[in-house]
Amino acid sequence: MKKYIKVRDKLKKQIQLGEFKVGDLLPSEHTLCRTFSITRTTARKALDELLKEGFIEKQHGKGSVVIERRQSLGLLSVKGFSEAVGENVRTTFLQKPKVDNWSDEIFSKINSSDSRAQCVSFERVRFVGDFPVMIGKNWFNGNIIPGITETEFVEGSFFKTLSNRYLIEVTGSSSELRAEAASERVAKLLKIETGTPILHISLKFKTSNPKLAIYSELHCNTSKFPIGSSYFM
Amino acid sequence: MKKYIKVRDKLKKQIQLGEFKVGDLLPSEHTLCRTFSITRTTARKALDELLKEGFIEKQHGKGSVVIERRQSLGLLSVKGFSEAVGENVRTTFLQKPKVDNWSDEIFSKINSSDSRAQCVSFERVRFVGDFPVMIGKNWFNGNIIPGITETEFVEGSFFKTLSNRYLIEVTGSSSELRAEAASERVAKLLKIETGTPILHISLKFKTSNPKLAIYSELHCNTSKFPIGSSYFM
DNA sequence: TAGTGGTCTAGACCACGGT
DNA sequence: CCGTGGTCTAGACCACTAG
């Protein structure tokens, strides 16, 4: 298995468990080299991933400092909801994965191979506490991940299910963001007034399987939990 | 000067000038090594930057392919407006850079050193064609970049001015996104109805000068030009 | 099979931060 | 001054794509 993934996940777990707290310095790159028997290239690659995911910031001459993760919906652009927000999150299905049609709700350009394939979709509402925050509907080529309609998600996460059961990793995403007035349906589900401004996010995920793209349309009530994102070079 | 920056900018320019078109393969990593007399580490670093900036995608076994840049406001999280959108963009000042107070409009947490320093702010409206798309107000510590109140921006870009005149580069950003109803003032400036949903983006930029952070509050009409962003691992 | 990108090793020198 | 991260060299082996 890839070494930098192992190092990255070890450190990530230590941060999540509080062994490294906000403001703490992670072991230096040279220390990581010794403890994991790797070279600096590999150590730096692991730290770069933590940087991209918003766990640390690097300070030239000092080290890698654990930083506060946004108390918002987190690095939305990277992975799914459950990885981003932390605890106190609940999800309910409006529609479990089932064979469906490619909907014209999908804003992203659909890969030509997808449009000829069988479409599977599912739809969920996400809560933080008792507060409905987001409605998300997802579409993908069902031929690529057979049996998904009968599978229970691993820890409630679609992306974890992809990773654990099908060995498919999300490798990137592109998105478009729009502020819109909530439709009647969306408003009802988010328990807000029809016409309230909501954030509409159209996402297309790329995965390690080039044949599998995941299309998502999200409708978010950002009044209490804004969407956060960060970018470091 | 850094070699990977030189290679990155050379390739970027070739893409922008159309020497490499959408769908074209960039020179392979080994070829770049030979033509620039660099090692693969450096060649890959240059390509990784183009990947992050959304110019290319990499295909294992094939090469680096030039991809279409979003015809939207682009990689918002990276740099300024003018770098992202392309031509046909116009900017007018509502308020040229001047000494101001730290406003409570600023959503991001202000660095403690900033709150004791002199604040400079400016505010602009951005147009695509004749269509007002975004209002942006920016605040920063005026002591760090003296003379900015008397300077004309380089090519109309604040970030280019920072880079060329003060040798300060933007190194990262974090942001929060909210859908809101347009206030009377915002609506008037964007030529829309008061209460129309708009996208409110609170940004904090980090720069290569650790003492300089830039705080931005943007209000965007996303109806014709959605905000785009992408992320690749 | 040849060429591509992905991972990794084992070093080197430099710039920056704090002592 | 020493330890830190930033850049770079000169290789190696592997996995993937395509002819």
Side-chain angles (χ1 to χ4, degrees), chain A residues 44-45 52-53 57 70 72 77-79 170-181 195 197-199 206 222 226-233, chain B residues 44-45 52-53 57 70 72 77-79 170-181 195 197-199 206 222 226-233:
Chain A
R44 283 179 63 77
K45 177 125 189 175
K52 282 199 292 188
E53 296 177 19
E57 74 183 24
R70 289 145 299 293
S72 55
S77 37
V78 190
K79 288 234 171 156
V170 174
T171 54
S173 71
S174 58
S175 57
E176 287 195 358
L177 311 169
R178 294 174 187 76
E180 293 178 357
I198 52 120
L199 182 55
K206 295 194 176 207
T222 55
I227 303 293
S229 97
S230 51
Y231 184 90
F232 296 98
M233 304 180 185
Chain B
R44 285 178 62 77
K45 176 124 188 173
K52 282 200 293 189
E53 296 176 20
E57 73 181 24
R70 289 146 297 293
S72 55
S77 38
V78 191
K79 288 233 169 156
V170 173
T171 54
S173 72
S174 59
S175 57
E176 287 195 357
L177 311 170
R178 295 174 187 77
E180 292 179 356
I198 53 123
L199 181 55
K206 294 194 177 210
T222 55
I227 303 292
S229 95
S230 52
Y231 184 90
F232 297 99
M233 302 180 189

Side-chain angles (χ1 to χ4, degrees), chain A residues 2-4 39-42 45 60-61:
Chain A
K2 290 168 201 164
K3 292 190 177 183
Y4 76 90
T39 53
R40 265 190 79 205
T41 311
T42 308
K45 177 125 189 175
H60 195 171

Side-chain angles (χ1 to χ4, degrees), chain B residues 16 69-73 81-91 127-130 133 225:
Chain B
Q16 285 167 334
R69 299 205 80 203
R70 289 146 297 293
Q71 185 33 334
S72 55
L73 293 183
F81 185 91
S82 39
E83 296 197 31
V85 178
E87 67 311 329
N88 204 16
V89 163
R90 215 177 74 240
T91 304
F127 297 81
V128 173
D130 289 329
V133 168
F225 299 96

Side-chain angles (χ1 to χ4, degrees), chain A residues 20-228:
Chain A
F20 296 117
K21 296 188 206 323
V22 171
D24 286 358
L25 284 170
L26 252 43
S28 78
E29 297 179 353
H30 281 104
T31 307
L32 291 175
C33 292
R34 285 195 300 277
T35 59
F36 288 96
S37 302
I38 54 178
T39 53
R40 265 190 79 205
T41 311
T42 308
R44 283 179 63 77
K45 177 125 189 175
L47 291 173
D48 280 351
E49 299 248 322
L50 294 176
L51 192 66
K52 282 199 292 188
E53 296 177 19
F55 286 95
I56 61 170
E57 74 183 24
K58 287 183 155 201
Q59 293 178 17
H60 195 171
K62 279 191 73 178
S64 302
V65 183
V66 177
I67 57 176
E68 186 128 33
R69 298 206 83 205
R70 289 145 299 293
Q71 183 36 332
S72 55
L73 293 183
L75 270 171
L76 166 98
S77 37
V78 190
K79 288 234 171 156
F81 185 91
S82 39
E83 296 197 28
V85 178
E87 68 308 332
N88 204 18
V89 163
R90 214 177 75 238
T91 304
T92 62
F93 277 90
L94 291 173
Q95 175 210 307
K96 294 227 174 196
K98 67 157 197 191
V99 174
D100 197 358
N101 294 313
W102 294 102
S103 165
D104 52 14
E105 279 182 71
I106 303 172
F107 260 97
S108 315
K109 209 172 80 184
I110 297 181
N111 298 350
S112 56
S113 56
D114 281 339
S115 55
R116 292 188 299 273
Q118 183 194 64
C119 175
V120 169
S121 76
F122 65 93
E123 187 172 33
R124 301 181 288 187
V125 186
R126 310 285 209 150
F127 296 82
V128 173
D130 289 328
F131 191 76
V133 168
M134 179 195 289
I135 307 167
K137 185 158 184 179
N138 304 276
W139 295 262
F140 52 88
N141 179 340
N143 301 325
I144 310 292
I145 36 184
I148 190 75
T149 51
E150 289 91 38
T151 317
E152 206 64 31
F153 283 1
V154 175
E155 298 173 35
S157 162
F158 178 54
F159 290 117
K160 272 193 186 146
T161 309
L162 278 185
S163 174
N164 295 6
R165 297 242 199 286
Y166 300 92
L167 304 179
I168 295 174
E169 310 293 333
V170 174
T171 54
S173 71
S174 58
S175 57
E176 287 195 358
L177 311 169
R178 294 174 187 76
E180 293 178 357
S183 69
E184 209 171 310
R185 173 171 187 273
V186 165
K188 199 164 192 178
L189 289 164
L190 293 177
K191 294 179 186 157
I192 53 179
E193 300 278 323
T194 301
T196 305
I198 52 120
L199 182 55
H200 177 177
I201 306 177
S202 304
L203 273 157
K204 179 178 181 176
F205 291 99
K206 295 194 176 207
T207 69
S208 50
N209 183 331
K211 293 197 172 64
L212 180 67
I214 297 152
Y215 306 87
S216 300
E217 296 293 329
L218 311 177
H219 297 268
C220 311
N221 177 357
T222 55
S223 61
K224 281 196 190 160
F225 299 95
I227 303 293

